Every structure is written in structure tokens, then in C-alpha cells.
Amino acid sequence: MKLLGKYVDKGMQGNVTLMPEESEDMWHAYNLIAEGDSVRSTTIRKVQNETATGSSTSNRVRTTLTIAVESIDFDTQACVLRLKGRNIEENQYVKMGAYHTLDLELNRKFELRKPEWDTIALERIEMACDPTQSADVAAVVMQEGLAHVCLITASMTLVRSKIEVSIPRKRKGSVQQHEKGLAKFYEQVMQSILRHVNFDVVKCVLIASPGFVRDQFYDYMFQQAVKMDYKLLLDNKSKFMLVHASSGFKHSLKEVLQDPAVLAKMSDTKAAGEVKALEQFYMMLQCEPAKAFYGKKHVLQAAESQAIETLLISDNLFRCQDVGLRKEYVNLVESVRDAGGEVKIFSSMHISGEQLAQLTGIAALLRFPMPELEDSDDDDDEDGAAGGADSD
């Protein structure tokens, strides 16, 4: 994301001008824009013209509109953000108050104005405009005949390619067709890695599968690399890492990212930090349940006592339509930081964020045990379960 202009005054009012440059930037824009904000960008509008003879012609014109956002729709596949709202600035083609849908696309700048900017929104801009926050881990989860090539960025897991190839079974006395099918499958996976993985940025490529599929594919890939002189693969051989996964489906990435060997290789990435924090939370929940709580009620009570060492919170909670509720979460984040605690904001598009969502989207590791929170849960059984509970 490129920051083209920023003006936010002491009263936290103002506007920023941004240009999304890659698909993840659209995700950041989706998290930044809320209902009630105003967005200014160029768009195409169909205009009806009536000639002197009474006949009408319509043509499409490019114009710049400012709309008050009423609904937001994010298309993750096409990476397009659709904003629907009423026009709030005079325009020669569009009447004041007329509805229009703005499509925010890559490499098209937009200006965002908010009634009030908070720290979470400003941090999101900083993170989006930091060039080091790109996809630094790639993963291929595979089984015979099925593979998913994924890019794991700081805030989302992007499936770049799904490969499905029908592989004939081994027949008695003839394995030729089976081997031909496997070779075709491996070739497609290799070409997908070459197409989608940017080795200038990626520090680690995980190849995960059940059984020996990963080893066979790895051997095939580097035999072909030598044969066809794929320098890109040969120069980056050290970045590949073979790990176990239960299947070739995307959800098996969850267990892959929790593997200690994988965590060691990914140690300097933000995604690893989130996975590690969630692992620590689950361990604490089992070993010392009075120091691990989830659910809004218990986390807020722990924050009041300045007991939170690490707060785990989903970015989904900041996208709520209720301004008062969003403020409550923003204040919680600020109070934890003021008390010297660490805050990890999980992306709901990331595997770890999906797991946190199952724990109500908010959890905390405490500095000291607070068994009284567990007791209050027994007395007043609210929707957010507490530490020591196995279910959410």
C-alpha cells in the first residue's frame, strides 16, 4: 500500500489518500473503511444524453465521486472492494444523494475520511504501508492428486492455486499409467510454485503431505530443475522444508504451522508470532487455567486489574457496525498497552485467526492467576466461557 497523503488533526479528524498495490492491500482497505466513512475515488458512470430530436444515447464516463459508505462488500477471489453509498459532493454526472457503487481496485488511489480516527485504524495504515510486511512464507499442502499452493502473509492465508489431477491406480504388473499421472501432477505443482512464489520475498517454502508424497515431489522437482536448468529453484533449494500434514486440504495448514521445526524456520515472521501466542494460550488453559481466559466479560475484568500480559484479539471485532462497541475494544487494546502488556491483533483471514474466532475472538494470558474470574463464571454463566472450560 502506498500512502499518498495523510492529514489527521489533534481531534483525530481528517483524511488519508492511499493506493492499493497488491491483493493484501485490499484486505487492509476492507479493515480500514467502515460504514459512515466517506470515500472519494474515480469511477465509471453510465450517462444518458438526449439529443435535439428526442432520441437518447448513453455513454460511459469516468468521473470522481465522494460517497458516504452504507455497505461494504469484499470479493476475496477478485480482490475488489465494493462500497455502496450516496453521493455527497456536487458532480456534473451524478445528483447529490444518488446511490452509487464504488469499486476500489489495485493501483487506483482513493481518499478516506473518517468522523474520528482511532489508534487501531492508524496502526493498520502503518502496517499496510510497511514494505517488509509481505508474504514471507509459502506452503504447498498436498496428497496424491490434490495440492493447494498458499502464500502466508502477516494477516491472511491466500490460496494461490488449487491443483487436482486424476491419478490412475496401480494395476497388477503395470504401474506405468500411475507413474505417468503422478509425473503430470508433480509437474503442475512445480509450475504453480514457479508462477506464484516470489523468492525475493519468501524466506521459507513448506511442502506438507501425508506419507511420502512430499519427498517424492521434492525429488521430482529438483531432478527437473537440474534437467531444465530452473535456476530459480536451484538457487533457493535451502528455503524448502518438508513437513507432515494430514491431508492436501487447506485446513491442514493449521497443524503444519504449529510444528516446532516450522516455527523455528518462521521465527522472524509476524504470522509465527500469532501462532505461537495461540499455542501458549492453549497450553496455559490446560496447565494453569486461572491465568488464561477468553470471552469479552472475563478479559475486560482482567484488564481492569491490569493483569493482562498478552491480549489476543481478532480484527473482526473492530469491523463491528456498533461504534460504541468498537470504541470499547480500542480502549481495551490501549489500556493493555498502557499497563505494559502485549497486544496481538489476529487476522480473521489467517488460519490462527479462524481458531481464535472459535474462542469468541478475544482471549488473554495473565501475569498472575485470577481464580475469582473462574468463580464468577460459575455464578453468572455468560456467553464467553472462561479459562478451565473446554468448550466455547
Side-chain angles (χ1 to χ4, degrees), residues 192-246:
S192 185
I193 290 173
L194 287 167
R195 193 177 311 118
H196 296 294
V197 177
N198 177 1
F199 285 99
D200 294 337
V201 177
V202 167
K203 297 186 181 80
C204 169
V205 184
L206 306 171
I207 297 176
S209 76
F212 297 103
V213 178
R214 58 186 178 275
D215 304 278
Q216 291 165 358
F217 167 67
Y218 181 83
D219 293 343
Y220 171 88
M221 180 167 60
F222 284 102
Q223 281 168 11
Q224 289 297 107
V226 171
K227 196 167 153 189
M228 308 299 289
D229 197 25
Y230 290 139
K231 278 200 164 61
L232 194 63
L233 289 175
L234 296 170
D235 292 349
N236 290 284
K237 193 173 182 177
S238 61
K239 291 182 180 178
F240 285 85
M241 185 178 183
L242 306 183
V243 287
H244 172 77
S246 56

Side-chain angles (χ1 to χ4, degrees), residues 323-339:
V323 177
L325 191 57
R326 179 187 163 103
K327 266 193 176 156
E328 204 175 343
Y329 288 125
V330 171
N331 292 340
L332 170 65
V333 167
E334 288 175 351
S335 72
V336 169
R337 284 178 178 155
D338 290 345

